[in-house]
Structures are given as C-alpha cells and as structure tokens.
Amino acid sequence: MKVELNEYQISELKQALKDKKNAQHHRKIQALILYSECQNLTAVAKSVGFVHQTVRNLLNRYLEGGLEALLTENRGGRRHFYLTHEEEEEFLEEQASSAMNGEFVTVDTLFEAYQKRVGRKTSREGFYALLKRHGWRKVSPRPQHPKKADAKTILASKNKITI
C-alpha cells in the first residue's frame, strides 16, 4: 500500500530540514522527503542508511502524529518496575520512620523488607538503583579506618626519643 504525502506535509518536512535545532533528526526527515519523491522504501533506506522497515515506521509516525511525533525521542525510561515511584517513596518513608524510632536500619534489612513488599525475589542492583533514585546514601561512618595500626604500634610511635 503506497502512502502519498501531500504538498503541505512535504513543505513542512523541507522547512524542518532547514531548521538547525532538528539537526539530530536530519536523516529521519531526509528519508521522508526522499520517500515523497520516489515512493520506494528500499531505495530510500539504502540512500540514508536505514532499514526499509525503519523508513516505514517513520512514515507511519509522521502520518499519525505529525512532525512533533517524528522529532520526539522515545528511547530511555523506566518501563519495567515492581512499584511505582510513589509506592517506592511510601516504602522508604516507612523505613525512615522506623529508623527515627531508634531501629538500626541496614541495606540488608531494607532489601528484605522490599522483597516482602514486592512479594517476590528481586536483584540487589535494582534495589540499589531504587535507593539512588530517591537520594538515599550511606550516612553512618566507619568505626575506624580499615588500615589503622594496632594499639602497640600507635604507642610505640608516640614514645619516640628525640635528640
């Protein structure tokens, strides 16, 4: 099924091609203009470096949503999650309130509580991403430096004889 672009659409695409703010979408726009001229998906795809299905997808996106749909970036985002952002905030507020009541909160206890809340096993990487997403970080300092000298060495260094 051949799809025809009307004169207004072609002029809109040509004008968008000239606009410098659309430079990152240059190949997409160029592919649609070339398609309007030759109506051959394979030839257009080869000339701009796309696969013919990509050109067809671009054409459908443009016909359904106009130039704005063509220029919006659809990549990225958080599409797979166990809890919504608001539910995560609620969960972390509950855990923070228990910490304020004097309970000692560790990542392990938080992780176990999170898995109970979700109702299934999850990965630690995903849980650490949740903590980072909400600005949580480690606040308790280490009790001592891991390479701290033992007491005998410290005492010997204090009792040096100076001449």
Side-chain angles (χ1 to χ4, degrees):
M1 178 173 124
K2 297 271 183 181
V3 178
E4 297 279 332
L5 295 176
N6 61 34
E7 290 299 318
Y8 172 75
Q9 291 171 328
I10 294 169
S11 64
E12 179 185 38
L13 287 169
K14 287 182 179 178
Q15 186 62 36
L17 193 63
K18 293 177 185 176
D19 194 358
K20 289 190 180 202
K21 68 180 178 183
N22 297 332
Q24 62 184 0
H25 305 287
H26 184 81
R27 284 179 33 199
K28 295 177 186 178
I29 299 167
Q30 193 176 30
L32 293 182
I33 293 172
L34 289 173
Y35 176 79
S36 70
E37 294 171 357
C38 72
Q39 299 287 318
N40 186 349
L41 287 173
T42 307
V44 170
K46 282 184 181 178
S47 64
V48 292
F50 286 144
V51 179
H52 68 88
Q53 185 61 46
T54 303
V55 177
R56 177 176 284 135
N57 292 343
L58 290 172
L59 182 63
N60 288 335
R61 265 192 10 211
Y62 177 70
L63 292 173
E64 289 174 10
L67 189 62
E68 187 64 33
L70 189 67
L71 301 180
T72 55
E73 198 61 46
N74 295 329
R75 294 183 296 179
R78 189 169 158 245
R79 293 183 182 87
H80 305 288
F81 49 85
Y82 298 116
L83 301 174
T84 64
H85 193 76
E86 292 78 23
E87 290 172 337
E88 288 176 353
E89 285 178 351
E90 180 183 315
F91 167 75
L92 291 174
E93 285 175 11
E94 290 171 5
Q95 301 303 317
S97 66
S98 65
M100 292 296 186
N101 292 335
E103 294 179 31
F104 191 70
V105 178
T106 63
V107 174
D108 292 330
T109 58
L110 285 174
F111 183 60
E112 289 173 15
Y114 175 71
Q115 286 184 336
K116 285 181 186 173
R117 176 78 174 258
V118 170
R120 60 181 298 183
K121 285 193 166 218
T122 60
S123 67
R124 282 206 181 260
E125 292 84 14
F127 181 68
Y128 283 119
L130 177 147
L131 294 177
K132 183 176 181 180
R133 190 168 38 249
H134 292 279
W136 280 49
R137 60 185 180 83
K138 181 179 177 182
V139 288
S140 63
R142 293 184 293 206
Q144 62 184 9
H145 194 275
K147 294 184 178 179
K148 181 179 177 184
D150 61 335
K152 187 176 179 181
T153 308
I154 293 173
L155 185 62
S157 68
K158 290 182 180 178
N159 295 330
K160 289 185 180 178
I161 301 174
T162 57
I163 297 177

